[in-house]
Amino acid sequence: MASRQERTDPRVVRSRERVLEAALAELAERGYGGFSIDGVATRAGVARSTIYRLGHDRLSLVAAAMETLNVQPRPEPGGHDPRADVVAIVSHLAAAMQSSLMSDCLPAVLDGAERDPGLRELHHRYSTQRRTRLVEALTRLQESGHVVGDPERAAEALAGAVFYRRLMTPVPLRTDEVEGLVATVLGEAQRASQPE
């Protein structure tokens, strides 16, 4: 028997992709206060009922768009260097904050989260999930014998620098600056000294 995914009509898949991209574009342009299902439907070129058939209300549409359109890199299998995983995750964040629908939506999400408890909870949950991947990579780096300090604080420092540059300065952090940021926060690639 064919799985549900194999039976999904390609038109439904394309409509879903258009709706999710339109949701982020609507959020970036209009803010969460002006974000509407009607506006997303118009942008996506679909009927409003299509969005509801996809199972979305306003908040779940924002959540699905953020999750689907901003996929973090997975750690490399097979004993890959955990420091390279840290760099890959921070590089992904830096690239997303340079120019993407996610970057364009960030001010709207922050503003909306201050006013709407549902969006606030979504934003905090989403941010925690994203930070967890970085904390895990930093923990693996620490377990491999590298000096990390507190993986939670290191993750906050790394991600915080990327968000600071996006929100508070005219120039977002470039991906070619990530290695330097990681070296600044974690020090040069070095292992903790082993007790004799």
Side-chain angles (χ1 to χ4, degrees):
M1 179 176 250
S3 74
R4 180 179 168 99
Q5 187 173 8
E6 292 170 339
R7 293 180 293 180
T8 301
D9 185 332
R11 293 172 297 179
V12 172
V13 172
R14 283 191 303 275
S15 290
R16 183 174 191 276
E17 289 171 356
R18 280 197 324 267
V19 164
L20 295 177
E21 288 175 9
L24 290 184
E26 179 82 358
L27 182 61
E29 185 177 310
R30 302 196 37 97
Y32 191 69
F35 181 86
S36 71
I37 297 293
D38 286 333
V40 173
T42 299
R43 273 181 200 272
V46 302
R48 200 180 144 157
S49 60
T50 299
I51 296 173
Y52 290 118
R53 263 197 311 276
L54 291 171
H56 295 299
D57 60 15
R58 192 170 171 236
L59 188 59
S60 72
L61 183 55
V62 171
M66 288 170 53
E67 279 300 320
T68 304
L69 299 176
N70 188 25
V71 178
Q72 280 184 310
R74 296 268 181 211
E76 293 288 331
H80 185 68
D81 176 12
R83 189 178 181 101
D85 290 338
V86 170
V87 170
I89 292 167
V90 177
S91 293
H92 169 78
L93 177 60
M97 290 298 108
Q98 282 179 15
S99 67
S100 70
L101 280 174
M102 286 302 297
S103 174
D104 296 344
C105 288
L106 184 60
V109 169
L110 295 176
D111 179 59
E114 285 299 309
R115 298 167 185 3
D116 183 281
L119 185 60
R120 181 179 312 118
E121 193 275 326
L122 165 68
H123 173 61
H124 290 167
R125 185 178 67 242
Y126 179 80
S127 296
T128 298
Q129 290 169 347
R130 304 308 234 179
R131 187 177 63 253
T132 296
R133 181 82 51 84
L134 182 54
V135 169
E136 289 169 353
L138 288 160
T139 300
R140 286 192 309 278
L141 182 62
Q142 186 176 48
E143 289 168 352
S144 73
H146 288 79
V147 176
V148 172
D150 179 355
E152 283 281 346
R153 298 301 76 79
E156 290 170 355
L158 290 166
V162 176
F163 285 110
Y164 178 84
R165 288 276 300 267
R166 165 58 180 91
L167 295 168
M168 306 300 285
T169 73
V171 181
L173 188 81
R174 298 183 321 268
T175 55
D176 65 345
E177 295 177 292
V178 169
E179 286 278 358
L181 173 62
V182 171
T184 298
V185 172
L186 301 180
E188 296 300 324
Q190 57 187 346
R191 292 190 176 272
S193 59
Q194 301 295 323
E196 296 182 27

